[in-house]
Amino acid sequence: MSNIASSISSEANDAIDFLAEMGQEFSSSANLQKTLSKALGLIVDYVKAEGGALFFLNEEGDYLDCITSVGPVEITGLRLKSDQGIVGKSVEADSGRIVRNVSDDPDFHTGIDEKTGYTTKSILCAPMSVKGDRFGAIELINKIGNEGLFDDNDLNLLQVLATSAALAILNGRMAEQLV
């Protein structure tokens, strides 16, 4: 029993350490774009996903633009309608999502896979929002190991990180307005 408790404790400590590291990154950087790009890579590695993307909601709220991506397919610059795909539905509902099999999800937008030739199997997505202000979302694809399935712990972690990123975005925008 103590081995199980020790293992759980170790995993929890690792997650707390990672959250602290990411919070420090978000709060101390003057270049938000560069910080978010670096953070996405760290998140993808930590969660053990094949890739990920960070989408910003444009000022009008009608499009999601991929500002950075990591992984086997480069989609930086991709633009989706704000209600399109799993990422759009997540932002629209201001709610995280785990999609374990995208072929079973009617919200999955197949256009990106068709264009790139890549096969998305599973998606983990969390909106970046603060008190109802939506800024976009972080989306991860294809869990490595664990039978390729993201779990609730992955979603909880991503949601905390997405909220932390949203706070950094909000603070950055407020600083810009002051200048």
Side-chain angles (χ1 to χ4, degrees), residues 82-105:
S82 63
D83 63 350
Q84 190 174 19
I86 292 165
V87 67
K89 298 298 182 185
S90 178
V91 171
E92 188 176 61
D94 197 15
S95 176
R97 294 208 32 207
I98 298 175
V99 178
R100 291 187 169 96
N101 183 353
V102 296
S103 63
D104 292 340
D105 194 302

Side-chain angles (χ1 to χ4, degrees), residues 84-87 89 97 99 101-114 118-123 139 141:
Q84 190 174 19
I86 292 165
V87 67
K89 298 298 182 185
R97 294 208 32 207
V99 178
N101 183 353
V102 296
S103 63
D104 292 340
D105 194 302
D107 293 331
F108 178 64
H109 176 62
T110 60
I112 298 167
D113 280 6
E114 290 168 2
Y118 183 75
T119 301
T120 303
K121 300 171 190 155
S122 59
I123 291 179
E139 183 176 70
I141 57 169

Side-chain angles (χ1 to χ4, degrees), residues 13-164:
N13 284 334
D14 287 348
I16 290 168
D17 289 346
F18 183 69
L19 289 170
E21 176 187 346
M22 295 306 300
Q24 187 67 29
E25 283 286 328
F26 288 141
S27 67
S28 64
S29 174
N31 184 335
L32 185 60
Q33 174 77 29
K34 188 175 179 180
T35 299
L36 291 171
S37 293
K38 178 182 175 186
L40 180 63
L42 293 171
I43 292 166
V44 165
D45 289 344
Y46 187 84
V47 177
K48 295 180 178 70
E50 286 183 13
L54 199 144
F55 289 87
F56 269 9
L57 191 62
N58 71 341
E59 285 187 32
E60 296 79 22
D62 52 356
Y63 288 100
L64 285 162
D65 295 309
C66 179
I67 63 156
T68 189
S69 69
V70 296
V73 177
E74 175 60 51
I75 63 167
T76 302
L78 175 76
R79 175 171 265 198
L80 300 171
K81 291 181 181 175
S82 63
D83 63 350
Q84 190 174 19
I86 292 165
V87 67
K89 298 298 182 185
S90 178
V91 171
E92 188 176 61
D94 197 15
S95 176
R97 294 208 32 207
I98 298 175
V99 178
R100 291 187 169 96
N101 183 353
V102 296
S103 63
D104 292 340
D105 194 302
D107 293 331
F108 178 64
H109 176 62
T110 60
I112 298 167
D113 280 6
E114 290 168 2
K115 188 183 290 186
T116 64
Y118 183 75
T119 301
T120 303
K121 300 171 190 155
S122 59
I123 291 179
L124 182 69
C125 189
M128 295 183 297
S129 65
V130 177
K131 292 188 177 182
D133 287 336
R134 299 172 297 143
F135 301 105
I138 301 172
E139 183 176 70
L140 305 181
I141 57 169
N142 297 355
K143 176 85 171 185
I144 298 169
N146 197 27
E147 298 177 15
L149 300 176
F150 293 107
D151 61 31
D152 290 338
N153 290 332
D154 295 328
L155 181 59
N156 290 335
L157 178 71
L158 189 61
Q159 286 181 179
V160 170
L161 292 167
T163 299
S164 186

